[in-house]
mmCIF file with all atom_site columns, all heavy atoms in Angstrom:
data_model
loop_
_atom_site.group_PDB
_atom_site.id
_atom_site.type_symbol
_atom_site.label_atom_id
_atom_site.label_alt_id
_atom_site.label_comp_id
_atom_site.label_asym_id
_atom_site.label_entity_id
_atom_site.label_seq_id
_atom_site.pdbx_PDB_ins_code
_atom_site.Cartn_x
_atom_site.Cartn_y
_atom_site.Cartn_z
_atom_site.occupancy
_atom_site.B_iso_or_equiv
_atom_site.pdbx_formal_charge
_atom_site.auth_seq_id
_atom_site.auth_comp_id
_atom_site.auth_asym_id
_atom_site.auth_atom_id
_atom_site.pdbx_PDB_model_num
ATOM 1  N N   . GLY A 1 635 ? 91.886  166.064 99.098 1.00 0.00 ? 638 GLY A N   1
ATOM 2  C CA  . GLY A 1 635 ? 93.301  166.218 98.914 1.00 0.00 ? 638 GLY A CA  1
ATOM 3  C C   . GLY A 1 635 ? 93.918  164.999 98.206 1.00 0.00 ? 638 GLY A C   1
ATOM 4  O O   . GLY A 1 635 ? 94.672  165.130 97.275 1.00 0.00 ? 638 GLY A O   1
ATOM 5  N N   . TYR A 1 636 ? 93.447  163.848 98.677 1.00 0.00 ? 639 TYR A N   1
ATOM 6  C CA  . TYR A 1 636 ? 93.984  162.607 98.109 1.00 0.00 ? 639 TYR A CA  1
ATOM 7  C C   . TYR A 1 636 ? 93.648  162.552 96.620 1.00 0.00 ? 639 TYR A C   1
ATOM 8  O O   . TYR A 1 636 ? 94.537  162.297 95.789 1.00 0.00 ? 639 TYR A O   1
ATOM 9  C CB  . TYR A 1 636 ? 93.325  161.398 98.805 1.00 0.00 ? 639 TYR A CB  1
ATOM 10 C CG  . TYR A 1 636 ? 93.358  160.157 97.978 1.00 0.00 ? 639 TYR A CG  1
ATOM 11 C CD1 . TYR A 1 636 ? 94.487  159.345 97.945 1.00 0.00 ? 639 TYR A CD1 1
ATOM 12 C CD2 . TYR A 1 636 ? 92.259  159.813 97.180 1.00 0.00 ? 639 TYR A CD2 1
ATOM 13 C CE1 . TYR A 1 636 ? 94.503  158.244 97.117 1.00 0.00 ? 639 TYR A CE1 1
ATOM 14 C CE2 . TYR A 1 636 ? 92.284  158.704 96.377 1.00 0.00 ? 639 TYR A CE2 1
ATOM 15 C CZ  . TYR A 1 636 ? 93.409  157.928 96.326 1.00 0.00 ? 639 TYR A CZ  1
ATOM 16 O OH  . TYR A 1 636 ? 93.418  156.816 95.530 1.00 0.00 ? 639 TYR A OH  1
ATOM 17 N N   . ASN A 1 637 ? 92.414  162.849 96.282 1.00 0.00 ? 640 ASN A N   1
ATOM 18 C CA  . ASN A 1 637 ? 92.006  162.747 94.851 1.00 0.00 ? 640 ASN A CA  1
ATOM 19 C C   . ASN A 1 637 ? 92.790  163.750 94.007 1.00 0.00 ? 640 ASN A C   1
ATOM 20 O O   . ASN A 1 637 ? 93.239  163.384 92.907 1.00 0.00 ? 640 ASN A O   1
ATOM 21 C CB  . ASN A 1 637 ? 90.488  162.981 94.723 1.00 0.00 ? 640 ASN A CB  1
ATOM 22 C CG  . ASN A 1 637 ? 89.741  161.684 94.952 1.00 0.00 ? 640 ASN A CG  1
ATOM 23 O OD1 . ASN A 1 637 ? 90.034  160.700 94.319 1.00 0.00 ? 640 ASN A OD1 1
ATOM 24 N ND2 . ASN A 1 637 ? 88.797  161.702 95.830 1.00 0.00 ? 640 ASN A ND2 1
ATOM 25 N N   . ALA A 1 638 ? 92.922  164.959 94.503 1.00 0.00 ? 641 ALA A N   1
ATOM 26 C CA  . ALA A 1 638 ? 93.606  165.977 93.709 1.00 0.00 ? 641 ALA A CA  1
ATOM 27 C C   . ALA A 1 638 ? 95.048  165.520 93.439 1.00 0.00 ? 641 ALA A C   1
ATOM 28 O O   . ALA A 1 638 ? 95.514  165.611 92.293 1.00 0.00 ? 641 ALA A O   1
ATOM 29 C CB  . ALA A 1 638 ? 93.607  167.311 94.489 1.00 0.00 ? 641 ALA A CB  1
ATOM 30 N N   . ILE A 1 639 ? 95.742  165.075 94.478 1.00 0.00 ? 642 ILE A N   1
ATOM 31 C CA  . ILE A 1 639 ? 97.160  164.704 94.293 1.00 0.00 ? 642 ILE A CA  1
ATOM 32 C C   . ILE A 1 639 ? 97.299  163.430 93.476 1.00 0.00 ? 642 ILE A C   1
ATOM 33 O O   . ILE A 1 639 ? 98.062  163.365 92.525 1.00 0.00 ? 642 ILE A O   1
ATOM 34 C CB  . ILE A 1 639 ? 97.831  164.530 95.680 1.00 0.00 ? 642 ILE A CB  1
ATOM 35 C CG1 . ILE A 1 639 ? 97.846  165.873 96.395 1.00 0.00 ? 642 ILE A CG1 1
ATOM 36 C CG2 . ILE A 1 639 ? 99.262  163.996 95.515 1.00 0.00 ? 642 ILE A CG2 1
ATOM 37 C CD1 . ILE A 1 639 ? 98.287  165.808 97.840 1.00 0.00 ? 642 ILE A CD1 1
ATOM 38 N N   . ALA A 1 640 ? 96.421  162.400 93.831 1.00 0.00 ? 643 ALA A N   1
ATOM 39 C CA  . ALA A 1 640 ? 96.596  161.097 93.219 1.00 0.00 ? 643 ALA A CA  1
ATOM 40 C C   . ALA A 1 640 ? 96.285  161.158 91.704 1.00 0.00 ? 643 ALA A C   1
ATOM 41 O O   . ALA A 1 640 ? 96.991  160.563 90.904 1.00 0.00 ? 643 ALA A O   1
ATOM 42 C CB  . ALA A 1 640 ? 95.702  160.074 93.890 1.00 0.00 ? 643 ALA A CB  1
ATOM 43 N N   . ILE A 1 641 ? 95.254  161.921 91.367 1.00 0.00 ? 644 ILE A N   1
ATOM 44 C CA  . ILE A 1 641 ? 94.857  161.982 89.952 1.00 0.00 ? 644 ILE A CA  1
ATOM 45 C C   . ILE A 1 641 ? 95.964  162.709 89.158 1.00 0.00 ? 644 ILE A C   1
ATOM 46 O O   . ILE A 1 641 ? 96.340  162.277 88.080 1.00 0.00 ? 644 ILE A O   1
ATOM 47 C CB  . ILE A 1 641 ? 93.491  162.678 89.732 1.00 0.00 ? 644 ILE A CB  1
ATOM 48 C CG1 . ILE A 1 641 ? 92.402  161.798 90.350 1.00 0.00 ? 644 ILE A CG1 1
ATOM 49 C CG2 . ILE A 1 641 ? 93.217  162.929 88.273 1.00 0.00 ? 644 ILE A CG2 1
ATOM 50 C CD1 . ILE A 1 641 ? 91.025  162.407 90.344 1.00 0.00 ? 644 ILE A CD1 1
ATOM 51 N N   . THR A 1 642 ? 96.534  163.735 89.780 1.00 0.00 ? 645 THR A N   1
ATOM 52 C CA  . THR A 1 642 ? 97.624  164.454 89.086 1.00 0.00 ? 645 THR A CA  1
ATOM 53 C C   . THR A 1 642 ? 98.802  163.521 88.846 1.00 0.00 ? 645 THR A C   1
ATOM 54 O O   . THR A 1 642 ? 99.325  163.459 87.715 1.00 0.00 ? 645 THR A O   1
ATOM 55 C CB  . THR A 1 642 ? 98.061  165.656 89.958 1.00 0.00 ? 645 THR A CB  1
ATOM 56 O OG1 . THR A 1 642 ? 96.933  166.361 90.389 1.00 0.00 ? 645 THR A OG1 1
ATOM 57 C CG2 . THR A 1 642 ? 98.981  166.589 89.200 1.00 0.00 ? 645 THR A CG2 1
ATOM 58 N N   . LEU A 1 643 ? 99.211  162.809 89.902 1.00 0.00 ? 646 LEU A N   1
ATOM 59 C CA  . LEU A 1 643 ? 100.319 161.891 89.773 1.00 0.00 ? 646 LEU A CA  1
ATOM 60 C C   . LEU A 1 643 ? 100.047 160.823 88.704 1.00 0.00 ? 646 LEU A C   1
ATOM 61 O O   . LEU A 1 643 ? 100.926 160.521 87.870 1.00 0.00 ? 646 LEU A O   1
ATOM 62 C CB  . LEU A 1 643 ? 100.623 161.188 91.110 1.00 0.00 ? 646 LEU A CB  1
ATOM 63 C CG  . LEU A 1 643 ? 101.176 162.067 92.217 1.00 0.00 ? 646 LEU A CG  1
ATOM 64 C CD1 . LEU A 1 643 ? 101.394 161.225 93.476 1.00 0.00 ? 646 LEU A CD1 1
ATOM 65 C CD2 . LEU A 1 643 ? 102.484 162.707 91.807 1.00 0.00 ? 646 LEU A CD2 1
ATOM 66 N N   . ALA A 1 644 ? 98.835  160.296 88.716 1.00 0.00 ? 647 ALA A N   1
ATOM 67 C CA  . ALA A 1 644 ? 98.478  159.229 87.740 1.00 0.00 ? 647 ALA A CA  1
ATOM 68 C C   . ALA A 1 644 ? 98.541  159.806 86.329 1.00 0.00 ? 647 ALA A C   1
ATOM 69 O O   . ALA A 1 644 ? 99.061  159.178 85.413 1.00 0.00 ? 647 ALA A O   1
ATOM 70 C CB  . ALA A 1 644 ? 97.122  158.648 88.049 1.00 0.00 ? 647 ALA A CB  1
ATOM 71 N N   . ALA A 1 645 ? 98.002  161.013 86.130 1.00 0.00 ? 648 ALA A N   1
ATOM 72 C CA  . ALA A 1 645 ? 97.978  161.579 84.789 1.00 0.00 ? 648 ALA A CA  1
ATOM 73 C C   . ALA A 1 645 ? 99.377  161.888 84.306 1.00 0.00 ? 648 ALA A C   1
ATOM 74 O O   . ALA A 1 645 ? 99.637  161.812 83.105 1.00 0.00 ? 648 ALA A O   1
ATOM 75 C CB  . ALA A 1 645 ? 97.135  162.904 84.855 1.00 0.00 ? 648 ALA A CB  1
ATOM 76 N N   . LEU A 1 646 ? 100.276 162.197 85.244 1.00 0.00 ? 649 LEU A N   1
ATOM 77 C CA  . LEU A 1 646 ? 101.658 162.456 84.864 1.00 0.00 ? 649 LEU A CA  1
ATOM 78 C C   . LEU A 1 646 ? 102.436 161.175 84.586 1.00 0.00 ? 649 LEU A C   1
ATOM 79 O O   . LEU A 1 646 ? 103.597 161.230 84.206 1.00 0.00 ? 649 LEU A O   1
ATOM 80 C CB  . LEU A 1 646 ? 102.395 163.235 85.962 1.00 0.00 ? 649 LEU A CB  1
ATOM 81 C CG  . LEU A 1 646 ? 101.893 164.691 86.209 1.00 0.00 ? 649 LEU A CG  1
ATOM 82 C CD1 . LEU A 1 646 ? 102.575 165.309 87.411 1.00 0.00 ? 649 LEU A CD1 1
ATOM 83 C CD2 . LEU A 1 646 ? 102.132 165.524 84.943 1.00 0.00 ? 649 LEU A CD2 1
ATOM 84 N N   . GLY A 1 647 ? 101.750 160.026 84.790 1.00 0.00 ? 650 GLY A N   1
ATOM 85 C CA  . GLY A 1 647 ? 102.388 158.773 84.479 1.00 0.00 ? 650 GLY A CA  1
ATOM 86 C C   . GLY A 1 647 ? 103.336 158.281 85.585 1.00 0.00 ? 650 GLY A C   1
ATOM 87 O O   . GLY A 1 647 ? 104.123 157.359 85.382 1.00 0.00 ? 650 GLY A O   1
#
Side-chain angles (χ1 to χ4, degrees):
Chain A
Y639 157 84
N640 275 308
I642 296 170
I644 294 175
T645 313
L646 291 180
L649 293 173

